[in-house]
Amino acid sequence: QVQLQASGPGLVKPSQTLSLTCTVSGDSISSGSFYWTWIRQLPGKGLEWIGYISYSGSTSYNPSLKSRVAISVDTSKNQLSLKLSSVTAADTAVYYCARENGSGSYYLDYWGQGTLITVSS
Amino acid sequence: SSELTQDPAVSVALGQTVTITCQGDILRRYYAGWYQQKPGQAPVLVIYGKGNRPSGIPDRFSGSSSRDTTSLTIIGAQAEDEADYYCNSRDITGYHVVFGGGTKLTVL
């Protein structure tokens, strides 16, 4: 059973860089046709895709966030990371990591529990 | 266009059948995934591909698609099915992911 566990600081000051980590267990982050993904949900709003890093190491980002986002993996720790720079209050959200399965069709089959990030001074 | 459109809210009487739809031109190219999200919880995949259910998802959940519309149907809705439901797909580039705005299902 694949499990994802996101972790982060909880509170980030405006203009700083948000850094989140997602630890994957039950599968190797470098195996298969998977896209390791970050998604966020602003308070009371819907789901917003942030970006992914593929099994081959290529990345893709939401055009609206692309200038501020970087996603990477540490295969030795089986971890996925997200960095979002120059944060503002508008970045306050629950951040989820998830695995997108690209075999046959595309779907997010495993999700982490989410971590709430508040941007405030 | 890669937008996915969902009705904001749908209601169903307990035990009855309800269909939630997701519409977008991109669905002519890609199958959608459907996710159930209950308050304070992470989304859970309920339907993927051509109407496939992950293990553990009750068989009262089914999916279908036609042209630019994909549908999630719950036959015999239960109180525990009350949740927000989201569809998603890859976009026209094939490299980005898009979500529908979500449908809040109320079981009366």
Side-chain angles (χ1 to χ4, degrees), chain B residues 55-105:
Chain B
S55 61
I57 301 301
D59 60 6
R60 63 179 179 272
F61 288 87
S62 64
S64 63
S65 62
S66 177
R67 296 175 182 167
D68 67 347
T69 300
T70 186
S71 302
L72 172 69
T73 298
I74 308 173
I75 299 175
Q78 302 300 301
E80 61 263 33
D81 299 333
E82 187 163 287
D84 294 326
Y85 290 85
Y86 294 91
C87 60
N88 94 309
S89 169
R90 286 290 180 101
D91 78 347
I92 191 70
T93 70
Y95 293 104
H96 300 156
V97 175
V98 290
F99 284 96
T103 297
K104 182 176 183 59
L105 175 66

Side-chain angles (χ1 to χ4, degrees), chain A residues 2-116:
Chain A
V2 178
Q3 292 186 318
L4 296 89
Q5 176 87 26
S7 59
L11 181 64
V12 182
K13 288 181 167 41
S15 80
Q16 291 188 340
T17 294
L18 163 65
S19 294
L20 298 178
T21 299
C22 176
T23 300
V24 179
S25 58
D27 191 18
S28 168
I29 205 166
S30 57
S31 71
S33 302
F34 303 127
Y35 301 81
W36 300 95
T37 301
W38 287 99
I39 292 153
R40 71 181 184 179
Q41 188 167 34
L42 279 59
K45 301 296 184 182
L47 301 170
E48 179 181 26
W49 175 72
I50 298 172
Y52 64 66
I53 184 164
S54 77
Y55 55 95
S56 64
S58 62
T59 55
S60 180
Y61 302 127
N62 187 321
S64 68
L65 299 170
K66 185 176 182 178
S67 63
R68 300 194 290 129
V69 174
I71 296 175
S72 60
V73 295
D74 183 334
T75 54
S76 67
K77 296 180 179 178
N78 223 36
Q79 287 180 339
L80 168 71
S81 294
L82 168 70
K83 292 190 185 300
L84 181 65
S85 64
S86 304
V87 297
T88 70
D91 295 309
T92 293
V94 175
Y95 287 76
Y96 296 100
C97 52
R99 188 183 83 170
E100 185 186 37
N101 193 322
S103 53
S105 59
Y106 295 98
Y107 50 96
L108 296 147
D109 54 1
Y110 292 100
W111 295 66
Q113 85 288 359
T115 185
L116 174 62

Side-chain angles (χ1 to χ4, degrees), chain B residues 15-28:
Chain B
Q16 295 304 301
T17 296
V18 62
T19 296
I20 299 169
T21 60
C22 172
Q23 186 272 333
D25 287 340
I26 197 60
L27 298 179
R28 296 177 187 270

